[in-house]
Amino acid sequence: MVSPDISRSPSEIEQGSKDETNTALLTSPELPPNKPVLAAGASDAPIVSSLGLRILCLLAIQNCFKNLLMRYVMKDKPDFLTSAAVIGVEIVKLVLCVLYILICDKRSLWSIVEFMRDDYKHALLLTIPAAAYSFQMSMEYVALANLDAAIFSVLVQTKLLTTASFSAIILRKKFKYIQIISLVLLTAGVMLININGMKEGSEDDSNNSKGIFATLGIALSSGFASVYTEKVIKAQRTNTVARQNYSLAYMQVQLALVSLVILGIYALVMDYGKIVENGLLHNFTTGAFVSILNSAIGGLIVASVLKYADSVLKSYATAISVVLTGVLSMMLFGTDLDAIYGLGIVNVVCAVLLYNGRNMDKVICGGGL
C-alpha cells in the first residue's frame, strides 16, 4: 500500500518507501531542481529549515501511521483478497490524480490521453518497476499480518543493503568507507531484530518467518527497482514529451494505469476462482477500506513533497518513523520491546543516518573507496 528523481544515485533512491520509488520512476530531469530544505550554512551543518522540518514531520508521521494502520487491519488475518486491496489503492490514486488535473490544473481529460500517447515509450519502460512496486504493496499485507509494525519498520530498512548490493553488481558503484560501515551496522541490527522476533512459541515462529521473508522480498524488490530505474529508464528514455508542461499528477496517472494492468493480470491468475465465486470485494472490512484510502492519499502526499527533500532529510524522517513506530506499537498493540530490540533499532537508525550523512566519510574515515 511513495521521492528522489531518477537523476539521483541509487543510494538516494533507496531511502524511500514504495511511494518514493513511485515518484522516482516518474520525475523528469527537466523538472526544476529540488528546493533547499536546509538553512544557510547547511553545507557545514545540516540545520533543517522550516520547510524541511514540515516535510520531515510529514514523512515520519505518514510512514509510521501507514505501518500501524495496516498492522491493525491485518493483525487478525482477515479473509479478503490482498490483490483487490492493492488494486483499490491504485484506483483511488488514479481517480484523485484525474480530479486534480481537471480541478487544479484546469485541463481536460484529453490532455491525459495526449500525454500517454506521446510518452508511451516511457510507459513501456515502467512495466518492470511498476510490477516490483505492486509486489511490494502485496507483500506489505503479508508481512504486517505476521509481524509487529515495530519489527517490520526496522526489517524493511534492509532495502538499503539490497540496493547497495545491486548497485555494486550492476552499476559497478563504489561506496565510501562510511557507507560500508553503515551497511555492516544495518546487517547487525537486522540480525538482532530477527533474534528478538524468534523468541516466541512454534506457531509464532512460523508466522514470524513468513513475515520476515515477505519483508525481505519487499527489500529485494525495492533494491532491484531502484537500480533498474537508474540504469535502464534513465539511460534509455528519450524526451518525447515536454514533461515540464505537465504536473506530477500526469506521471502518477501513467504509473497507476501501468500498475492496474499488471495487478489485473496478477489478480486473474492468482485469485480468479475466488473472484468469480465471491466477488472482488468479498469480506472487505471498514479497516481495509480505510487502509486503502490511507495508502493512496498518503502515497500522493509523500510523492508531492519528496521533490523538496534531499537524502539527508529522508534519512532523518526514516530514523524518526522507525523509533516512533516502535514506541506506538508498544503502546497500542502491547508489543514486547526488550534490550535486544533496542540494540537492533540503534544499529539500524545509525546505519540509515550514516549512509546519507553529509561529509561523514571525510570526518570519520578521511576518504572513500
Side-chain angles (χ1 to χ4, degrees):
M1 263 5 54
V2 267
S3 171
D5 62 50
I6 63 173
S7 63
R8 298 184 184 179
S9 66
S11 62
E12 294 174 293
I13 293 175
E14 68 205 357
Q15 281 302 306
S17 65
K18 276 70 64 191
D19 299 313
E20 299 170 8
T21 303
N22 178 344
T23 308
L25 304 175
L26 304 173
T27 309
S28 168
E30 290 130 350
L31 290 175
N34 291 351
K35 295 182 181 180
V37 292
L38 300 176
S43 59
D44 298 321
I47 303 173
V48 182
S49 68
S50 59
L51 172 62
L53 183 61
R54 289 195 292 270
I55 293 173
L56 186 151
C57 293
L58 178 58
L59 294 181
I61 292 173
Q62 197 278 332
N63 285 337
C64 174
F65 182 69
K66 177 185 175 183
N67 291 337
L68 291 172
L69 178 60
M70 195 171 294
R71 173 58 179 170
Y72 172 78
V73 171
M74 298 302 297
K75 186 175 182 181
D76 296 325
K77 298 180 175 62
D79 186 25
F80 63 82
L81 299 178
T82 57
S83 58
V86 178
I87 288 174
V89 172
E90 292 304 317
I91 290 176
V92 173
K93 282 184 181 180
L94 179 62
V95 171
L96 292 176
C97 288
V98 170
L99 290 176
Y100 182 92
I101 291 171
L102 296 176
I103 299 173
C104 299
D105 287 349
K106 300 186 184 304
R107 301 182 71 171
S108 66
L109 289 174
W110 182 248
S111 66
I112 301 175
V113 176
E114 288 182 329
F115 176 82
M116 295 295 297
R117 180 191 63 196
D118 294 338
D119 204 34
Y120 73 93
K121 291 184 179 179
H122 184 219
L124 293 176
L125 289 174
L126 281 174
T127 53
I128 293 179
Y133 170 60
S134 301
F135 172 78
Q136 291 170 48
M137 289 195 295
S138 299
M139 287 299 100
E140 279 187 348
Y141 283 96
V142 176
L144 285 165
N146 296 281
L147 285 177
D148 289 317
I151 296 176
F152 171 80
S153 68
V154 175
L155 292 183
V156 80
Q157 301 310 318
T158 51
K159 61 189 174 184
L160 190 74
L161 183 60
T162 59
T163 307
S165 300
F166 279 119
S167 299
I169 295 171
I170 299 175
L171 300 179
R172 306 296 181 186
K173 177 180 173 59
K174 295 183 179 180
F175 295 96
K176 299 175 182 178
Y177 288 118
I178 194 64
Q179 290 177 317
I180 294 176
I181 293 173
S182 73
L183 294 177
V184 173
L185 283 174
L186 177 65
T187 303
V190 168
M191 291 175 65
L192 287 171
I193 296 298
N194 284 339
I195 292 173
N196 183 76
M198 291 296 184
K199 295 189 303 180
E200 308 295 337
S202 57
E203 182 178 353
D204 286 335
D205 283 348
S206 176
N207 292 338
N208 285 334
S209 297
K210 187 176 182 180
I212 288 170
F213 281 118
T215 306
L216 294 179
I218 293 172
L220 191 66
S221 176
S222 176
F224 174 76
S226 297
V227 175
Y228 176 92
T229 300
E230 176 75 9
K231 184 174 180 66
V232 179
I233 294 184
K234 178 183 174 183
Q236 296 185 9
R237 186 178 69 191
T238 57
N239 295 319
T240 56
V241 177
R243 297 172 73 86
Q244 68 270 23
N245 296 327
Y246 295 94
S247 67
L248 182 63
Y250 285 87
M251 328 307 178
Q252 294 285 347
V253 167
Q254 186 182 50
L255 182 63
L257 289 173
V258 174
S259 298
L260 281 172
V261 172
I262 295 171
L263 288 168
I265 295 173
Y266 171 80
L268 289 176
V269 172
M270 300 299 296
D271 301 316
Y272 177 78
K274 294 180 180 179
I275 293 174
V276 171
E277 181 180 355
N278 302 314
L280 192 64
L281 300 181
H282 179 65
N283 281 338
F284 255 66
T285 63
T286 301
F289 281 110
V290 172
S291 71
I292 288 173
L293 189 62
N294 171 68
S295 295
I297 295 177
L300 292 175
I301 292 175
V302 173
S304 299
V305 303
L306 274 173
K307 64 181 180 179
Y308 300 107
D310 63 4
S311 58
V312 179
L313 189 65
K314 284 185 294 177
S315 68
Y316 291 160
T318 300
I320 292 172
S321 68
V322 168
V323 175
L324 191 60
T325 301
V327 173
L328 291 179
S329 181
M330 180 175 60
M331 295 172 60
L332 297 175
F333 303 120
T335 304
D336 184 19
L337 305 180
D338 57 14
I340 294 179
Y341 176 87
L343 289 174
I345 201 172
V346 167
N347 276 25
V348 171
V349 168
C350 289
V352 170
L353 295 177
L354 287 176
Y355 194 85
N356 284 311
R358 286 182 173 163
N359 301 320
M360 294 295 292
D361 198 60
K362 293 181 180 179
V363 173
I364 297 179
C365 304
L369 290 181

XYZ file of all heavy atoms in Angstrom, residues 38 72 88 93 98 146 162 183 191 208 217 227 232 237 247 260 268 293 309 367:
147
model
N 17.522 22.978 3.775
C 18.454 23.233 4.865
C 18.714 24.723 4.975
O 18.716 25.446 3.982
C 19.764 22.484 4.633
C 19.631 20.960 4.529
C 20.977 20.352 4.210
C 19.067 20.373 5.799
N -2.936 -2.981 12.241
C -4.237 -3.082 12.920
C -5.228 -3.858 12.053
O -5.983 -4.699 12.551
C -4.763 -1.682 13.226
C -6.177 -1.667 13.742
C -6.459 -2.006 15.069
C -7.240 -1.314 12.907
C -7.763 -2.000 15.535
C -8.538 -1.308 13.369
C -8.803 -1.649 14.690
O -10.093 -1.647 15.144
N -7.319 -1.538 -5.327
C -8.068 -0.414 -4.781
C -7.207 0.809 -4.554
O -7.622 1.946 -4.826
N -5.789 6.300 -6.291
C -4.763 7.226 -6.771
C -5.133 7.781 -8.141
O -4.999 8.989 -8.401
C -3.408 6.514 -6.857
C -2.690 6.320 -5.548
C -1.320 5.697 -5.809
C -0.571 5.448 -4.520
N 0.766 4.839 -4.775
N -6.726 12.271 -11.515
C -7.554 12.793 -12.611
C -8.347 14.006 -12.134
O -8.445 15.024 -12.844
C -8.502 11.694 -13.146
C -9.521 12.289 -14.110
C -7.695 10.604 -13.850
N 1.818 -10.848 9.872
C 2.619 -11.813 10.630
C 3.703 -11.187 11.493
O 4.338 -11.895 12.274
C 3.277 -12.795 9.655
C 2.267 -13.642 8.906
O 1.745 -14.605 9.428
N 1.984 -13.267 7.664
N 20.069 -4.131 0.039
C 19.815 -4.747 -1.271
C 20.107 -3.774 -2.405
O 20.663 -4.159 -3.439
C 18.362 -5.239 -1.374
O 17.459 -4.140 -1.189
C 18.075 -6.298 -0.338
N 26.412 -0.189 6.327
C 25.807 -1.448 5.889
C 26.106 -2.574 6.870
O 25.266 -3.448 7.101
C 26.310 -1.815 4.486
C 25.880 -0.867 3.358
C 26.506 -1.295 2.040
C 24.360 -0.829 3.238
N 19.970 -8.566 12.239
C 20.171 -9.857 12.901
C 19.645 -9.820 14.330
O 19.014 -10.784 14.804
C 21.654 -10.231 12.876
C 22.181 -10.567 11.490
S 23.964 -10.871 11.477
C 24.048 -12.361 12.480
N 6.262 -15.465 12.251
C 7.362 -14.521 12.128
C 8.217 -14.805 10.904
O 8.641 -13.880 10.201
C 8.234 -14.545 13.390
C 7.585 -13.838 14.556
O 6.767 -12.947 14.372
N 7.933 -14.246 15.766
N 11.482 -9.861 0.893
C 11.056 -9.780 -0.504
C 10.790 -8.341 -0.916
O 11.123 -7.929 -2.040
N 17.686 0.235 -8.834
C 18.821 0.113 -9.753
C 18.343 0.044 -11.196
O 18.958 0.628 -12.095
C 19.681 -1.123 -9.393
C 20.781 -1.333 -10.421
C 20.287 -0.945 -8.008
N 18.362 1.550 -16.526
C 17.598 1.312 -17.748
C 16.755 2.516 -18.141
O 16.898 3.067 -19.231
C 16.711 0.058 -17.607
C 15.894 -0.170 -18.864
C 17.579 -1.157 -17.301
N 15.453 6.406 -21.781
C 14.287 7.225 -22.053
C 14.648 8.404 -22.948
O 15.637 9.095 -22.732
C 13.683 7.767 -20.752
C 12.369 8.506 -20.986
C 11.777 8.981 -19.671
N 12.593 10.037 -19.103
C 12.430 10.487 -17.869
N 11.534 9.929 -17.092
N 13.184 11.449 -17.401
N 2.034 18.402 -14.838
C 2.246 18.285 -13.403
C 2.545 16.843 -13.022
O 2.414 15.927 -13.836
C 0.989 18.767 -12.656
O -0.095 17.883 -12.895
N -2.204 -0.916 -12.776
C -3.511 -1.568 -12.800
C -3.556 -2.699 -13.815
O -4.186 -3.733 -13.575
C -4.600 -0.540 -13.111
C -5.027 0.349 -11.932
C -5.957 1.446 -12.393
C -5.685 -0.488 -10.838
N -6.216 -12.020 -11.728
C -6.894 -13.060 -12.512
C -6.151 -14.391 -12.427
O -6.772 -15.457 -12.360
C -7.028 -12.615 -13.970
C -8.035 -11.483 -14.236
C -7.985 -11.072 -15.699
C -9.450 -11.912 -13.846
N -7.529 3.802 1.463
C -7.591 5.249 1.313
C -6.351 5.917 1.880
O -5.781 6.842 1.274
C -8.844 5.781 2.023
C -9.203 7.251 1.795
C -9.502 7.511 0.323
C -10.404 7.648 2.652
N 12.757 17.221 -0.770
C 13.561 16.567 0.265
C 14.820 15.967 -0.331
O 14.777 15.353 -1.378
C 12.744 15.482 0.957
N 38.027 9.573 3.688
C 38.068 9.259 2.262
C 37.050 8.254 1.851
O 36.113 7.961 2.574
